[in-house]
């Protein structure tokens, strides 16, 4: 991945925000199957603030920018999603501070740090039917594509495919974290909304990446 690190970070965050807002009803409907249905609403309200305050964020460097985003998400996204997604941005920011050049390897490290933050904050693991079940496979695929020497568009598209396949596969899992876990075996048969959100975001990034500078 080449280009201006700040421009790339802005593109990714803005795409995430726009995708969360645009898919409010879809994510909410997925959550309503075995949850309380507020996931889409909560995520959209927080990222609406990100978009509304876009021009006010400090862009001194990528780490500073991501820290500001983390604060907004933590405070404005309701329910359990705010702390989890906010922690992900904060952990990514910490990694970016140590490696300001956003090479492919740095991006993988940032995503792994984000996943580790979510695991620690939510006491979740791969297979617990959470967003980690899409985020971790997508990150692994990015790492694999980098080893193959793939370019950025190919890498992101492959990550999106991995995220979608893994998100769809959560239908076969029993939820072990969040409100859906209260339903026990009844959670089997429906996909995890957080994992689907990750897949939709990666797909949006893959669709838009060729236009990013």
């Amino acid at each position: 991945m080449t280009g201006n690190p700040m421009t790339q970070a802005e593109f990714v965050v803005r795409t995430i925000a726009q995708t969360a807002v645009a898919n409010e009803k879809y994510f909410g409907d997925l959550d309503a199957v075995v949850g309380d249905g507020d996931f889409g609403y909560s995520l959209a309200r927080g990222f609406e603030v990100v978009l509304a305050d876009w021009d006010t964020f400090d862009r001194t460097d990528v780490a500073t920018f991501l820290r500001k985003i983390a604060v907004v998400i933590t405070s404005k996204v309701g329910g359990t999603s705010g702390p989890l997604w906010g922690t992900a941005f904060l952990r990514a920011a910490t990694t970016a501070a140590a490696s300001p050049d956003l090479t492919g390897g740095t991006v993988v490290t940032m995503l792994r740090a984000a996943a580790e933050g979510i695991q620690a904050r939510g006491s979740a693991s791969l297979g617990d039917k959470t967003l980690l079940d899409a985020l971790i496979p997508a990150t692994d695929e990015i790492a694999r594509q980098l080893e193959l020497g793939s370019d950025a568009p190919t890498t992101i598209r492959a990550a999106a495919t991995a995220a979608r396949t893994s998100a769809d596969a959560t239908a076969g899992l029993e939820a072990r974290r969040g409100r859906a876990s209260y339903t026990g075996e009844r959670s089997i048969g429906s996909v995890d909304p957080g994992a689907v959100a990750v897949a939709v975001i990666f797909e949006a990034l893959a669709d838009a990446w060729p236009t990013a500078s």
Side-chain angles (χ1 to χ4, degrees):
M1 297 181 184
T2 59
N4 185 309
M6 190 70 250
T7 300
Q8 289 181 342
E10 290 178 88
F11 164 74
V12 170
V13 173
R14 193 170 186 86
T15 301
I16 291 172
Q18 291 171 333
T19 304
V21 172
N23 288 275
E24 175 182 348
K25 184 179 186 305
Y26 176 44
F27 295 159
D29 288 347
L30 290 176
D31 189 39
V33 176
V34 291
D36 53 17
D38 70 345
F39 173 65
Y41 176 87
S42 298
L43 207 64
R45 295 295 78 76
F47 280 107
E48 276 181 345
V49 176
V50 170
L51 293 173
D53 294 349
W54 189 257
D55 292 335
T56 71
F57 294 123
D58 187 341
R59 290 166 167 76
T60 301
D61 51 53
V62 173
T64 300
F65 175 65
L66 293 180
R67 287 193 192 100
K68 296 298 183 181
I69 299 298
V71 170
V72 172
I73 296 305
T74 300
S75 62
K76 300 299 183 180
V77 174
T80 59
S81 296
L84 293 176
W85 287 67
T87 296
F89 276 100
L90 186 60
R91 292 294 186 92
T94 300
T95 301
S99 303
D101 295 327
L102 291 188
T103 63
T106 300
V107 171
V108 170
T109 303
M110 290 170 68
L111 289 171
R112 294 207 190 286
E116 289 167 3
I118 293 169
Q119 287 177 305
R121 190 66 185 260
S123 299
S125 300
L126 190 66
D128 283 347
K129 197 165 186 166
T130 70
L131 75 164
L132 292 172
D133 291 306
L135 179 58
I136 291 175
T139 303
D140 289 344
E141 182 60 26
I142 292 173
R144 191 178 79 86
Q145 291 295 326
L146 290 174
E147 290 180 357
L148 293 174
S150 301
D151 61 15
T154 300
T155 298
I156 296 167
R157 179 60 65 188
T161 299
R164 172 59 66 179
T165 300
S166 300
D168 289 347
T170 62
L173 300 175
E174 179 178 341
R176 301 188 184 280
R177 291 292 179 269
R179 189 173 296 273
S181 65
Y182 302 158
T183 65
E185 292 184 357
R186 287 201 298 115
S187 64
I188 299 174
S190 59
V191 294
D192 177 70
V196 171
V198 170
V200 172
I201 287 169
F202 268 104
E203 288 166 347
L205 287 169
D207 289 343
W209 191 270
T211 66
S213 57

